[in-house]
Amino acid sequence: MIINHLIHLKNSILKGVLFSVFILSSDAGFSQAQEDKHRIWNVEIEGNERYEDLVILKYIAHQRPSFWKRIGVINQSNKSLNEIEIRKDVIRIERFYQRRGYPNVEVSYELRNGSSENRKILVFQIIENQPIVIERVSIVINANQVDQQHILNSSEYAGFLRKLSFKKGRRYQPVKEAEAVGLFSQVLKNIGFIYATVLVEVSIDSAQNTADVIIQTTPGPIARLASIDIEGAKTLSDQLILRETGLKIGELYSEEKLKQAQRELFKHHLFRLALISIPEQPKDSTLDLKLSVMELPLRSFKIRGGIGDFDRMRKTLSINTIWNFFRVQTSWTYRNLGGKGTQFSTSLKLSFFESYLSSEFLFPYVFNTKSSFTINPYIENRNENAYSISTGGIINSLGYEYNRNLTGTFAYEFAINNEYDITNEKNQEITDILPDSVLNYNVSSFILNFYYANGLARGQKGWIVQPYIEISGIFGESDFTYQKLAFDVRKFSTLTSTTVLATRVQAGSIYSANQDSLPADIEFYTGGTSSVRGYGKNELGPKRAIVIEGTSPDEKDEVRFVPTGGKAFLSFNIELRQQMDRVLKGFELAAFLDGGQVWNSLRRLDERRLQYSTGVGVRYQTPIGPVRVDLGYKLNPTDFDLELLPEVSTKAAPRWRIHISIGQAF
């Protein structure tokens, strides 16, 4: 009997426990369902006067759901209402302000109903209150009088004072302390004080909301280069390697000079690897360096093949014409001619549209490691849409790299040119289709161009400016006298972490041409894979129609529309690039608007309006660069662009143009 009661009691307790678990689970599930029911649909910030919403939103977890999450394409469960995470964001905002000089900031939040009850608007409310203001700034140099004067009189120290965020009357920001330490340490290490230490001390008066900032440094001994131990060299002399670094025994240590020396070796054609290090040694006024190098082979041969020139092709694509797309290039290089670091190379490029044979003598050191001189003899034959040309000549150029952002080249080119009519292959006969005679002429030009990049980070953000100046016939040795000016400006803006807006403007003009017409190879053209993409190579702008009569009564006449070029041009590109790594790693979509025109001269700009093309493209990142496919559409083509001629019955050419290439358009 007792046993039966115990069994009954056990079963009752077990049922009670199971029922309780069920109730608790149901309550938890209901609570979770209620929480999941409400979602953050927008995030707003109120009361912030010093910082914009976008700045603060970067430092908190909650963000406005993207368009794709709003329509449910991407799972948005991670944006369910979670008040614990909201309170963490409150703390993050408080810390953001406190580290920027607002110690008494007050942050709260409020949930408001959006367009429906389950779509909540999260509003962070900020009361910034009074910031801490710097009352005094002191810089203490714990060194002897000579070293103090060396620091105070240096231009680097003056630059540090200009960049220093801590100035009297400004808001004190604790987040800027590391920046000040880094800036001052860099200054000291660039003027010889390799062992310098820097410390920032701050005294805050919380009642007055003021701060006294003291920057203390102990520079330590000033060091000069005593020796540079070179290891790894096999065929190169220590003297040659040391010359390419730009470092000199006995000069003051400079961290920036060491970095520059390593960059010079890395980009030099003699080295595969270069590393400058500071071995363990006593901390005194002398410094020993260690330079490890790995040489490239003195001689090398390369052969490369590929396909290209898709926008030059006018024939119908078939088994018999596909070989026109193939290209091959070979090169042979000797990297240390004469044991002086001079490089000699020769290369051959062959394709259906172009053949090019050249040699190059590169002298990597002229005045210093930043300067180089190149002698480049060449011969070339090209078949363009508007003309064909055979040319041979020599280019002598002096290059100078002022810094990593600015480089320039000054060159002299002399060329003998044989420009002749484009030809037409018909009925197995090759005939001239333009009435022009063969034009033989010499060109002698001085060319100056620059490349300036500012803040450029892998094509994601920054500027590129490239001006170009060419002056021909200064000494009367050229058959044509002219001055050519052109520029190329590019800007890359990061809109989001995965979206880039890329823009480019190109323009140019030819001045003081004594002749009414210049050779076709001198004039400007635009349109093509890396220009206005609704058009083929050089096809945007003025054209002339050439009628090729049929060889029999049954054969229709053929019409060719040949670009004539001009003495002025303008083109622009606007491209939105969207990374799609979530869909496929390395995949990118693009949408673009291009435009431009070519004119006979700047005085005749009103004769031709700008023409535009738009389109979309895809890119896929590969080890050799992004493979690019663009589809361009002509928005306002002329009859000649559509290859229509009233006098001859012709079928309109398509407005679409497909471009396939490797690398971004710009």
Side-chain angles (χ1 to χ4, degrees), residues 532 534-535 592-594 609 611-615 632-638 655:
V532 184
Y535 297 80
F592 57 83
L593 174 67
D594 303 331
R609 62 179 179 174
Q611 292 178 256
Y612 307 94
S613 70
T614 187
Y633 180 79
K634 303 179 183 70
L635 292 176
N636 57 338
T638 65
R655 289 192 175 201

Side-chain angles (χ1 to χ4, degrees), residues 449-469:
N449 60 62
F450 295 95
Y451 176 90
Y452 175 73
N454 182 21
L456 193 65
R458 299 183 180 180
Q460 302 292 311
K461 182 180 180 181
W463 285 84
I464 296 177
V465 180
Q466 299 178 81
Y468 173 92
I469 303 171

Side-chain angles (χ1 to χ4, degrees), residues 89-101:
D89 275 342
V90 168
I91 296 172
R92 292 187 186 102
I93 295 174
E94 288 175 346
R95 289 178 178 173
F96 170 83
Y97 269 92
Q98 290 164 358
R99 287 173 57 80
R100 286 156 181 81

Side-chain angles (χ1 to χ4, degrees), residues 390-393 412-419 439-445 470 472-473 476-482 515 518-519 522:
S390 295
T391 182
Y412 172 75
E413 178 178 6
F414 180 80
I416 301 173
N417 302 279
N418 184 348
E419 188 177 305
L439 179 61
N440 297 309
Y441 62 95
N442 299 335
V443 169
S444 173
S445 300
E470 180 180 352
S472 179
E477 71 282 15
S478 178
D479 293 332
F480 296 91
T481 302
Y482 60 89
Q515 296 78 12
L518 289 171
I522 294 175

